[in-house]
Amino acid sequence: MNALSSIIAGKKNMGSSHFNSTNPANREDILGTFANATLDECREACLAARKGFEQWKKTPAPIRAGIIANFGKLIEKNKEAISQVLTREMGKPIKEARGDVQEAIDTCYFFISEGRRLYGQTVPSEMENKELYTYRRPIGVFACITAGNFPFAVPSWYFIPALVCGNTCVWKPSEDTPRLSLIFAELLYAAGVPKDVFHVVFGSGSETGANLVSLVNEGLIDKVGFTGSTEVGRKIGEICGRNLQTPCLELGGKNPLVVMPDANLDLAVNGIIWSGFGTAGQRCTSLGNLIVHKSIKEPLIKKIMDKVASIHIGNPSEENIFCGPMMSERFLKKHLENLDSLIKPHHRLITSKNGQITDQNKPERFSGNAQLGFYAHPSIVDNVNENDAIYSTETFGPLFNILSFSDLDEAIYLSNKTGYGLSSAIYTENIESSYKFRSEISAGMTSINNSTTGAEAHLPFGGNGKSGNGSRQSGIWVVDQFTKWQAVNWDVSGKLQLAQMDTSYINPSDYVVKI
């Protein structure tokens, strides 16, 4: 029995620990009950993946890519149904949910051709009758832990290239979106991925996730992928580092958005609101620090507040909703803790309603069930400076700060000093400012006159500093995460030839130019 089936069957085992998948817009709506995988079940999944690897790596890459083509077609065929489950389970507005699913489709179609482009090279030898080649080889068993905020797109970033490259996979999805993760796996199997090639272990990050990563120490895992907090990423990095492995870490952010005095303020406001409050601020690329030139700060704030007042918050299945609930009660509680502990007396909380949305404290444009959902007001904190904890703390919720600056050098300094380096943005009509910002910003991704959020399936995604270890997802660059290089030295001379020793070097003559 494959690991996925064994864990699902475990729901009937009264000795196992279980958790529910709950609709964050309606806590009375339960999408399913799932069993927490034990260490033994994680080990069983890895051993099965190791066994499956022996055949999968021999399957021609174009055939593996053909299975991914099937996967893309199945997602496309079921896009609306998947999107509805995503919205119901995670709380993302339906328009965003459709985008999440579409990104998985786009990723499939991008990597179909990569199955025919896992290129190596032929390299000239310094010897006669000798051939040199390089090949990309699959790494082996890939274990991955993903977050719930992009529950269909981000797993596709990992698993589609990993499978095309010939690796087998063990996945611990977010405990916030297990139903959707099950659909993801079922579609892969329906597309033709063998059951021993892809395995899912459900459970919490602190238990099942930790159990899974610990198996690196037993030699059962060859590569780890993780999307989540910097704190957990460091722990995974330590385990992998001790085993001479390099994980793929996509971690947190405190993303800056700079507004120059020559910016189109209406355009900037749209980007600010989307960056700060889209997905209820629950993106690693969400706006953290709005860094505004002093000369335009007050007019920009007025435009921002007018825009905030127009936001529709509520039931994410409704088409006109901009912001739905937070993913779960624990994320809402953490957001409330941040409002309580990070905001100091010298700060100015410019949003009039903050914290949890209740029946007694609802925004004007609200259509959800405040009593049953995990909703939060958008919050904006002004008068923040670089010495404040809130300046450098990832808050992962509908909350961002405002800082002011005098010149671009100061804005870049404030953008970089947090130590994070995931995403960034600048709004300006000045080419020199754009060039300087994109050259000196430390973030792995930057936008000019666009928001801090938004990724396309063929562009590298990832961060630097506290936001990651330099690994990248998406596009052709991700192939480097899931393959290892093999150099082949093929001597057909019939004799031992030693490079640098038996090489016939040609020396220059003693010719001297006469003037």
Side-chain angles (χ1 to χ4, degrees):
M1 182 162 48
N2 69 76
L4 176 62
S5 299
S6 68
I7 292 167
I8 294 171
K11 290 192 293 183
K12 299 177 182 179
N13 181 357
M14 296 305 293
S16 299
S17 61
H18 300 78
F19 65 97
N20 291 332
S21 172
T22 303
N23 181 346
N26 178 5
R27 70 183 77 198
E28 294 180 351
D29 179 20
I30 306 299
L31 285 81
T33 301
F34 295 80
N36 286 290
T38 64
L39 176 60
D40 286 340
E41 287 172 319
C42 291
R43 185 180 291 111
E44 176 190 351
C46 291
L47 289 169
R50 178 71 66 194
K51 183 178 179 181
F53 177 63
E54 294 308 310
Q55 185 58 43
W56 185 243
K57 70 180 181 181
K58 298 174 185 176
T59 303
I63 304 303
R64 297 193 299 252
I67 293 174
I68 295 303
N70 295 339
F71 183 49
K73 292 173 185 176
L74 287 171
I75 300 173
E76 200 164 32
K77 181 179 180 180
N78 294 279
K79 177 180 176 180
E80 185 59 26
I82 297 168
S83 301
Q84 293 291 340
V85 174
L86 196 159
T87 289
R88 181 181 164 209
E89 187 170 44
M90 180 264 165
K92 183 177 294 188
I94 186 62
K95 182 179 179 180
E96 284 192 56
R98 293 179 184 125
D100 196 314
V101 177
Q102 184 62 47
E103 190 158 356
I105 297 169
D106 294 344
T107 302
C108 285
Y109 290 154
F110 178 86
F111 277 99
I112 291 169
S113 295
E114 288 305 304
R116 298 181 184 272
R117 282 198 299 263
L118 291 175
Y119 296 142
Q121 296 170 310
T122 57
V123 183
S125 173
E126 63 189 55
M127 305 286 193
E128 294 182 358
N129 300 313
K130 193 175 182 185
E131 300 291 336
L132 305 179
Y133 310 92
T134 65
Y135 296 90
R136 285 188 181 273
R137 305 299 190 194
I139 291 177
V141 176
F142 171 55
C144 189
I145 301 171
T146 57
N149 55 344
F150 284 86
F152 223 79
V154 169
S156 74
W157 292 357
Y158 283 114
F159 297 122
I160 290 169
L163 291 168
V164 168
C165 290
N167 302 282
T168 55
C169 305
V170 181
W171 180 25
K172 203 298 287 184
S174 169
E175 58 267 44
D176 297 307
T177 53
R179 181 71 185 92
L180 197 71
S181 305
L182 179 56
I183 293 171
F184 188 99
E186 289 173 337
L187 289 175
L188 273 177
Y189 298 144
V193 173
K195 292 290 181 71
D196 59 355
V197 167
F198 192 84
H199 305 264
V200 183
V201 289
F202 295 108
S204 68
S206 60
E207 295 183 12
T208 303
N211 286 337
L212 180 60
V213 174
S214 73
L215 297 174
V216 172
N217 293 320
E218 296 184 20
L220 299 181
I221 293 168
D222 303 297
K223 180 81 175 184
V224 175
F226 173 72
T227 297
S229 71
T230 301
E231 179 185 6
V232 174
R234 284 194 174 107
K235 294 177 181 177
I236 292 173
E238 289 174 3
I239 293 170
C240 293
R242 288 196 298 270
N243 289 276
L244 303 182
Q245 293 184 17
T246 303
C248 183
L249 301 176
E250 199 278 282
L251 309 176
K254 192 68 176 181
N255 306 292
L257 189 154
V258 173
V259 185
M260 296 294 288
D262 58 13
N264 179 329
L265 295 190
D266 291 330
L267 178 64
V269 167
N270 288 334
I272 290 164
I273 297 300
W274 175 245
S275 296
F277 303 135
T279 323
Q282 299 169 114
R283 302 186 188 120
C284 54
T285 56
S286 290
L287 170 59
N289 290 316
L290 175 60
I291 304 170
V292 183
H293 193 273
K294 292 177 179 179
S295 66
I296 58 166
K297 180 180 175 182
E298 292 310 317
L300 181 63
I301 286 178
K302 184 180 185 308
K303 286 179 177 289
I304 290 172
M305 297 311 297
D306 290 343
K307 193 73 173 181
V308 169
S310 71
I311 290 177
H312 287 75
I313 302 174
N315 183 353
S317 64
E318 297 178 11
E319 294 288 344
N320 67 332
I321 293 297
F322 179 86
C323 186
M326 301 194 73
M327 277 190 291
S328 69
E329 187 173 18
R330 78 177 189 280
F331 285 101
L332 175 60
K333 285 183 177 179
K334 182 60 179 177
H335 172 65
L336 299 178
E337 288 175 10
N338 287 333
L339 289 172
D340 182 59
S341 64
L342 295 176
I343 298 177
K344 302 303 179 184
H346 67 275
H347 293 148
R348 182 167 69 113
L349 193 57
I350 62 175
T351 39
S352 58
K353 292 184 178 181
N354 300 280
Q356 185 172 1
I357 293 175
T358 64
D359 284 334
Q360 295 74 36
N361 182 31
K362 292 188 291 187
E364 193 171 312
R365 299 174 183 267
F366 181 77
S367 63
N369 188 322
Q371 184 176 354
L372 295 179
F374 306 121
Y375 294 99
H377 291 278
S379 294
I380 303 172
V381 184
D382 190 17
N383 290 342
V384 172
N385 64 65
E386 63 182 283
N387 298 315
D388 294 331
I390 198 170
Y391 158 76
S392 56
T393 300
E394 183 185 29
T395 49
F396 205 72
L399 167 66
F400 67 80
N401 312 316
I402 299 178
L403 297 88
S404 58
F405 69 93
S406 299
D407 57 43
L408 184 54
D409 285 332
E410 184 182 7
I412 293 172
Y413 167 80
L414 291 171
S415 297
N416 289 334
K417 197 194 171 186
T418 63
Y420 287 98
L422 185 56
S423 186
S424 59
I426 185 171
Y427 280 82
T428 180
E429 298 298 313
N430 185 281
I431 294 176
E432 291 182 4
S433 297
S434 301
Y435 191 90
K436 182 179 177 67
F437 186 80
R438 74 171 190 178
S439 301
E440 298 184 15
I441 192 72
S442 62
M445 301 176 289
T446 194
S447 295
I448 300 168
N449 294 325
N450 206 330
S451 69
T452 60
T453 68
E456 297 192 37
H458 51 285
L459 198 65
F461 185 98
N464 308 314
K466 293 191 293 185
S467 293
N469 61 342
S471 56
R472 293 294 182 266
Q473 298 167 301
S474 297
I476 58 173
W477 302 269
V478 74
V479 173
D480 290 331
Q481 295 296 317
F482 296 114
T483 55
K484 56 189 177 183
W485 284 107
Q486 180 190 32
V488 175
N489 177 334
W490 191 346
D491 199 318
V492 296
S493 68
K495 60 182 179 180
L496 177 63
Q497 299 189 91
L498 302 176
Q500 295 93 42
M501 288 179 277
D502 295 333
T503 303
S504 298
Y505 294 105
I506 298 174
N507 296 317
S509 69
D510 293 330
Y511 180 80
V512 177
V513 176
K514 295 179 181 180
I515 300 176

